[in-house]
Amino acid sequence: MGIKGLKQVIADRAPAALRTVEMAQLVGRKVAIDASTSLYQFLVAVRSEGQSLATSEGHTTSHLIGLLYRTVNMVENGLKPVYVFDGKPPVMKGGELEKRREKREKAEASLKAAEEEGNDDEILKQTKRLAKVTPEINEQAKRLLRLMGIPIVTAPCEAEAQCAALARAGRVWAAASQDMDTLLFGAPVLLRNLTAPAARKLPIEEIRLEEVLGGLEYTQDQLIDLGIVLGCDYCESIRGVGPKSGYEHIRACKTIEEAVKLEKVAKGVPDDWPYASARELFQRPEVDECADEFVWAKPDVEGLVQFLVHEMEFSEQRVRSAAAKLEKAVGKGQQVRIDSFFKISSTKRSQPGDNTNGGSPSAQGSVLPALDTIALELHAPGVLVMAFNRPRHMNSLTYETYAEWLDVMEYVHTDRSVRVLVITGRGRAFTVGHDLSSTGMALTDAVKRQYFERCNVVRDLTQLLITSPVPIIAAVNGPAIGYGCTTLALCDLVLASETAVFRTPFMELGFCAEGCSSLTFPRILGPAVANDMLLFGKAMGAAEMHSRGFVVRVTKLDELLPLALSLAKRLAGQSRGALEATRGLIKERGVIEQLLRANEVEMEGLYLRMISKDTQQAVVRALAGLQARQSGGAKPRL
């Protein structure tokens, strides 16, 4: 059933926690999917003339059709799904199951009446209400997924609780379910509509728990209490208390126990209301550790043909085509995400002195590897240093660099041991911005898709910079150009060496403003200077940017990183609560929402510019000019 009204509360009070994403943005992601809600969606949506699809002998196939093609679509887009099936229902869910049984009986009666009247619309409506995921349907789905090479898990109890547990443990990145109570079970990221049939054209919704709690100003226990007040599978709601008043009551009173002391709340409390037991189920659900590694194997093609074609009467051509797509997707390399690198351990924790280079565990037990284009190091406890690590190429930003930077920011958002992030560059440059070697190609569909995916990664990265839970200190050791320049305005402190240069050559490349610079530059530098930089690409020195309030301190190059580490260590030693409160006041909610909106608008504009002919021509001219001025060696870039 989920939690009635919870999504609206989040949309009203924590809008930054809610966003829509494209399937392509989830490349490389491991996702635990609530199988029951997915199968129900397919049973309801995959129909012909109002009836579920079935074999000549009457065996339903709607769920298999939906599961096959939606899963193939996910795998083709680079997702790594793990389907989680319900186990036995909790004893407390008996009341909800009884209500569902009563609703089915009413639907059956209504369907019979509609058939007698010949009311086709009512027949369709009641038929959908009677859709049910039976044990037979579950077993057929499991058989299909095994043949497809997709991992499955059978939960000891509730599937959404198991999905949330896998996400909390770092085994998967997100839980996918239609039920909002997945957040109450502690899923750090919830995806809704991931398995919705394509014909419904529902956007995939991403909801981040940390941002939900921050926006609501709730603890996890208070979110659980709100869900119970609004009504969940385990107990009734409080009569007369809706989403808005329920949110206010829990925010003011902190707990259900205190809220029910209010007269206007107490009169609506059901008799023998088991809220404490319901809370216990959300706080300590029955779940498995699932210690075995998940494996995405190649499909058993002949097994699929036997099951779907010979037993379920599918088209052999379509089944073999789907199997071929699976084989191709599983066989090709996927983009590596941070969940491939950072292994979360619930038992082993590093000691405060374990501050060595890449490969060492942080205080929370996460491995800090040496990434390909970014170097990560732990210095003082709680201080993570990220350095662009392509010194031979002036630290230009390739697609891989953007993706790894995004991974680092996701890690910062999830690992509470990180208190301060320092960003710098190795070699002579901070970063000279976007690597142009992959731009200016013929605009084929494949190239357009590549640009689209890159813009999505950059959009997500910018969003995480905007909403960073920890202070970010930038130590600009050399040229900071393009995206490397604009995103400095999203940092808490910008330090610069005396030789640092800041430039945004967007116009000469046919690009447009990004990194929220259309909003931040006029506010920090003033409209005139912002126009000079964004429209004319004027280069600014460290001293001038300091005088404009963009750079906090200017120092000698050899003193830059020690200064950044000294300031970071001081911040890391401060009260976490005080830091969060002060940063929250500086970056008040309205400002964050404006930045998030600017990011969305800019990235939409940038994608349109990147696929335009005049931008392609501008990039080719820029590359030719740079090559003419260079004597070989490193690839030309701005």
Side-chain angles (χ1 to χ4, degrees):
M1 181 182 74
I3 309 296
K4 185 178 181 180
L6 180 56
K7 182 185 171 185
Q8 189 57 52
V9 172
I10 293 172
D12 292 340
R13 303 288 179 169
L18 269 169
R19 67 172 185 145
T20 59
V21 295
E22 299 290 336
M23 185 81 76
Q25 294 174 246
L26 303 176
V27 60
R29 297 295 195 192
K30 298 176 184 178
V31 179
I33 300 173
D34 181 347
S36 295
T37 59
S38 300
L39 293 173
Y40 178 78
Q41 286 181 308
F42 298 139
L43 288 170
V44 169
V46 183
R47 291 173 175 265
S48 176
E49 297 181 353
Q51 299 298 316
S52 295
L53 301 183
T55 66
S56 57
E57 296 182 353
H59 299 298
T60 301
T61 58
S62 292
H63 59 296
L64 298 176
I65 293 171
L67 185 62
L68 173 67
Y69 293 114
R70 192 59 171 171
T71 304
V72 169
N73 185 33
M74 285 191 282
V75 175
E76 276 193 301
N77 276 279
L79 274 77
K80 296 184 176 181
V82 179
Y83 280 89
V84 181
F85 290 80
D86 281 320
K88 67 180 187 304
V91 175
M92 285 193 65
K93 201 170 183 177
E96 175 62 24
L97 296 177
E98 178 61 25
K99 288 181 183 178
R100 294 179 187 178
R101 187 187 63 79
E102 292 173 358
K103 288 180 179 179
R104 285 183 59 82
E105 291 177 352
K106 289 181 180 179
E108 288 171 351
S110 298
L111 175 60
K112 184 177 179 180
E115 289 173 339
E116 292 174 353
E117 296 171 3
N119 187 334
D120 292 338
D121 290 340
E122 188 66 17
I123 289 173
L124 176 58
K125 178 181 177 181
Q126 299 304 330
T127 300
K128 288 184 176 181
R129 286 181 175 177
L130 288 170
K132 182 181 179 182
V133 179
T134 65
E136 181 184 12
I137 284 174
N138 273 329
E139 290 307 312
Q140 290 173 343
K142 290 178 182 179
R143 181 182 175 188
L144 174 59
L145 290 167
R146 290 190 185 102
L147 291 171
M148 294 172 70
I150 304 299
I152 64 173
V153 172
T154 299
C157 197
E158 299 274 54
E160 62 265 41
Q162 185 67 57
C163 290
L166 292 172
R168 286 200 315 273
R171 300 295 308 283
V172 297
W173 173 71
S177 176
Q178 293 306 101
D179 289 345
M180 292 293 291
D181 57 4
T182 310
L183 292 172
L184 275 60
F185 285 116
V189 179
L190 171 62
L191 296 177
R192 301 180 80 243
N193 302 330
L194 179 65
T195 57
R200 297 185 64 190
K201 298 182 179 179
L202 295 175
I204 299 172
E205 298 174 345
E206 179 184 312
I207 307 175
R208 294 186 177 249
L209 179 59
E210 184 175 11
E211 293 176 29
V212 169
L213 298 178
L216 299 183
E217 299 182 43
Y218 269 18
T219 64
Q220 179 66 21
D221 285 344
Q222 288 168 339
L223 182 65
I224 290 172
D225 277 7
L226 174 62
I228 294 170
V229 166
L230 297 180
C232 64
D233 286 350
Y234 311 128
C235 59
E236 298 177 66
S237 61
I238 298 178
R239 295 183 299 277
V241 175
K244 183 177 180 180
S245 59
Y247 163 75
E248 295 294 351
H249 292 325
I250 296 298
R251 185 182 180 191
C253 300
K254 308 302 183 187
T255 65
I256 288 177
E257 285 84 353
E258 293 300 315
V260 296
K261 293 178 182 178
L262 301 173
E263 182 179 352
K264 55 186 175 181
V265 176
K267 63 184 180 181
V269 175
D271 296 332
D272 301 320
W273 192 44
Y275 72 89
S277 298
R279 180 192 287 156
E280 179 76 11
L281 281 173
F282 284 120
Q283 292 174 334
R284 282 171 280 278
E286 186 179 354
V287 295
D288 281 341
E289 291 186 8
C290 299
D292 295 339
E293 287 296 319
F294 295 129
V295 177
W296 289 264
K298 288 191 175 182
D300 178 350
V301 179
E302 296 309 316
L304 285 169
V305 170
Q306 172 60 36
F307 178 41
L308 296 179
V309 178
H310 299 305
E311 297 179 34
M312 293 297 172
E313 302 176 2
F314 280 42
S315 161
E316 183 170 352
Q317 179 181 357
R318 296 183 70 181
V319 170
R320 290 191 180 278
S321 175
K325 291 177 180 178
L326 278 175
E327 282 190 301
K328 181 179 179 181
V330 172
K332 69 181 181 181
Q334 300 287 357
Q335 177 184 324
V336 179
R337 306 294 306 217
I338 200 163
D339 51 14
S340 300
F341 293 123
F342 296 101
K343 304 299 184 184
I344 306 299
S345 169
S346 59
T347 56
K348 182 179 179 181
R349 293 177 179 268
S350 65
Q351 299 302 312
D354 292 341
N355 296 331
T356 54
N357 292 343
S360 66
S362 76
Q364 190 166 312
S366 304
V367 175
L368 299 178
L371 304 178
D372 290 335
T373 65
I374 288 176
L376 291 178
E377 297 181 14
L378 279 171
H379 284 262
V383 176
L384 180 63
V385 177
M386 170 194 139
F388 299 113
N389 193 25
R390 303 183 73 230
R392 292 180 57 191
H393 305 286
M394 300 291 281
N395 294 327
S396 61
L397 302 174
T398 63
Y399 177 79
E400 184 179 13
T401 310
Y402 286 123
E404 289 187 352
W405 191 358
L406 173 61
D407 288 344
V408 172
M409 289 309 303
E410 288 174 342
Y411 178 66
V412 169
H413 273 254
T414 56
D415 192 319
R416 294 283 289 176
S417 70
V418 178
R419 303 289 297 275
V420 182
L421 175 66
V422 175
I423 302 179
T424 190
R426 288 188 172 177
R428 295 183 295 118
F430 180 70
T431 170
V432 293
H434 180 58
D435 188 301
L436 296 179
S437 61
S438 61
T439 312
M441 299 180 289
L443 288 173
T444 63
D445 288 343
V447 169
K448 289 181 180 179
R449 178 179 176 82
Q450 181 186 110
Y451 290 165
F452 179 75
E453 292 178 354
R454 178 177 297 154
C455 286
N456 280 334
V457 169
V458 175
R459 181 193 69 177
D460 291 352
L461 169 58
T462 306
Q463 179 177 356
L464 294 189
L465 289 168
I466 293 168
T467 59
S468 173
V470 303
I472 301 177
I473 299 176
V476 184
N477 56 303
I481 298 176
Y483 188 75
C485 176
T486 57
T487 50
L488 292 173
L490 302 176
C491 298
D492 295 81
L493 294 175
V494 179
L495 314 175
S497 70
E498 296 170 330
T499 57
V501 177
F502 304 81
R503 186 167 180 251
T504 54
F506 299 138
M507 295 303 102
E508 60 197 76
L509 297 175
F511 292 164
C512 67
E514 31 81 316
C516 299
S517 56
S518 63
L519 181 66
T520 58
F521 273 35
R523 289 186 175 183
I524 298 173
L525 301 170
V529 176
N531 287 341
D532 213 1
M533 290 191 71
L534 296 175
L535 299 180
F536 295 97
K538 180 183 178 181
M540 303 278 281
E544 190 168 6
M545 292 295 267
H546 177 258
S547 69
R548 297 285 179 180
F550 193 93
V551 171
V552 175
R553 300 184 193 179
V554 179
T555 185
K556 295 179 180 179
L557 180 60
D558 59 356
E559 297 175 357
L560 179 64
L561 189 55
L563 173 61
L565 292 174
S566 174
L567 294 174
K569 185 176 180 180
R570 285 175 58 187
L571 281 178
Q574 304 296 333
S575 159
R576 182 189 294 274
L579 271 178
E580 292 177 349
T582 303
R583 292 182 72 245
L585 292 170
I586 295 171
K587 284 188 175 182
E588 62 182 10
R589 176 59 57 187
V591 173
I592 291 177
E593 289 174 357
Q594 290 175 23
L595 290 169
L596 292 171
R597 177 57 183 161
N599 179 38
E600 295 285 343
V601 173
E602 287 176 353
M603 295 317 300
E604 289 174 5
L606 181 60
Y607 172 67
L608 294 176
R609 295 306 311 149
M610 291 184 74
I611 62 173
S612 66
K613 291 183 179 180
D614 62 307
T615 293
Q616 299 301 303
Q617 294 167 354
V619 170
V620 170
R621 288 195 299 270
L623 284 170
L626 284 169
Q627 287 172 337
R629 294 193 295 271
Q630 291 183 341
S631 58
K635 294 179 182 178
R637 47 188 59 82
L638 289 173

